[in-house]
Amino acid sequence: KAGVTQTPRYLIKTRGQQVTLSCSPISGHRSVSWYQQTPGQGLQFLFEYFSETQRNKGNFPGRFSGRQFSNSRSEMNVSTLELGDSALYLCASSLSGLPYEQYFGPGTRLTVT
Amino acid sequence: DQQVKQNSPSLSVQEGRISILNCDYTNSMFDYFLWYKKYPAEGPTFLISISSIKDKNEDGRFTVFLNKSAKHLSLHIVPSQPGDSAVYFCAASSFAGGTSYGKLTFGQGTILTVHP
């Protein structure tokens, strides 16, 4: 079974621009969660989607948004990029968001200059 | 407010010996715990999990122990192998607000180095 895939793997953007990252979950998984990893803050939860609905949201500004499609694929968008948004963005999928393990993709490394 | 803490930034172990990684949590609502292994520039790899109704779970060389009264969990790796060298994260979740277990709260990680 194919794992979680994320595109693109690497991205360089300029301050003020916006960016869209994509995540395809493991086949059959309906829950997708997004995380941001930075050296200073570690791994932090952004949001979770299930059946095209946001079920959980972390403490990030409204510039961070996401959505999920009917095939469970998910996208996250960051508008008006800031230097501090440079990070590894990870998505993870699980069967349903019940206490099942989450499986992570390889991440998208975003650099904001 | 760091709800999940891994107080040891690093751990060095000889090949063949036991590695013990520790994790403490403060939120008593957490009832599902997981350990992940991570290499740089890669996503975390799931290792093992435990529900709060148990106090021990084993999978091959990996065993997780949960002490609910102390709000403490540990991961034992026996025997340790050089390929186990990586960053290890513990994570916790709860059915907070009746939504889902989709939010994981991570510790800061422990760098494990296993020497041949």
Side-chain angles (χ1 to χ4, degrees):
Chain A
K1 198 182 253 191
V4 178
T5 58
Q6 291 187 247
T7 56
R9 291 293 311 277
Y10 303 92
L11 206 48
I12 300 175
K13 289 286 189 178
T14 305
R15 269 181 303 176
Q17 288 187 314
Q18 67 118 22
V19 67
T20 300
L21 312 181
S22 181
C23 171
S24 292
I26 292 171
S27 177
H29 285 194
R30 296 174 61 193
S31 170
V32 174
S33 298
W34 287 88
Y35 297 84
Q36 179 197 65
Q37 185 183 27
T38 59
Q41 299 297 318
L43 275 155
Q44 291 192 294
F45 172 79
L46 281 156
F47 28 65
E48 182 216 0
Y49 285 87
F50 179 81
S51 290
E52 302 177 65
T53 301
Q54 187 181 87
R55 279 205 302 201
N56 266 304
K57 191 176 190 306
N59 295 325
F60 279 82
R63 300 185 297 106
F64 291 82
S65 63
R67 59 177 176 167
Q68 187 180 34
F69 302 94
S70 58
N71 61 359
S72 294
R73 190 178 70 85
S74 178
E75 288 181 348
M76 68 162 281
N77 184 278
V78 188
S79 62
T80 320
L81 284 166
E82 300 176 0
L83 294 178
D85 297 333
S86 294
L88 182 66
Y89 290 89
L90 295 155
C91 87
S93 73
S94 67
L95 276 172
S96 68
L98 290 176
Y100 294 115
E101 46 271 19
Q102 293 185 18
Y103 293 90
F104 284 81
T108 294
R109 169 68 63 184
L110 172 65
T111 302
V112 182
T113 62
Chain B
D1 175 30
Q2 200 171 345
Q3 299 184 59
V4 178
K5 297 179 185 178
Q6 294 175 255
N7 292 316
S8 298
S10 63
L11 174 68
S12 184
V13 170
Q14 206 66 30
E15 181 179 6
R17 306 294 290 269
I18 184 171
S19 294
I20 300 176
L21 298 118
N22 294 303
C23 180
D24 297 297
Y25 61 97
T26 57
N27 187 342
S28 58
M29 298 299 291
F30 287 143
D31 59 3
Y32 190 64
F33 304 89
L34 310 92
W35 283 94
Y36 286 87
K37 170 181 174 180
K38 189 179 185 300
Y39 296 110
E42 292 184 12
T45 300
F46 170 75
L47 287 173
I48 192 168
S49 61
I50 188 166
S51 164
S52 61
I53 63 173
K54 294 184 172 183
D55 54 19
K56 177 182 173 181
N57 190 26
E58 278 183 271
D59 185 359
R61 296 187 297 115
F62 302 94
T63 302
V64 56
F65 295 92
L66 175 62
N67 182 332
K68 289 185 290 295
S69 60
K71 293 191 178 68
H72 176 85
L73 64 153
S74 61
L75 174 69
H76 292 210
I77 306 174
V78 183
S80 301
Q81 300 172 354
D84 295 330
S85 298
V87 181
Y88 288 77
F89 290 94
C90 68
S93 67
S94 69
F95 200 70
T99 51
S100 78
Y101 283 90
K103 173 183 178 180
L104 294 181
T105 301
F106 283 87
Q108 292 296 100
T110 297
I111 302 170
L112 173 65
T113 304
V114 180
H115 299 283

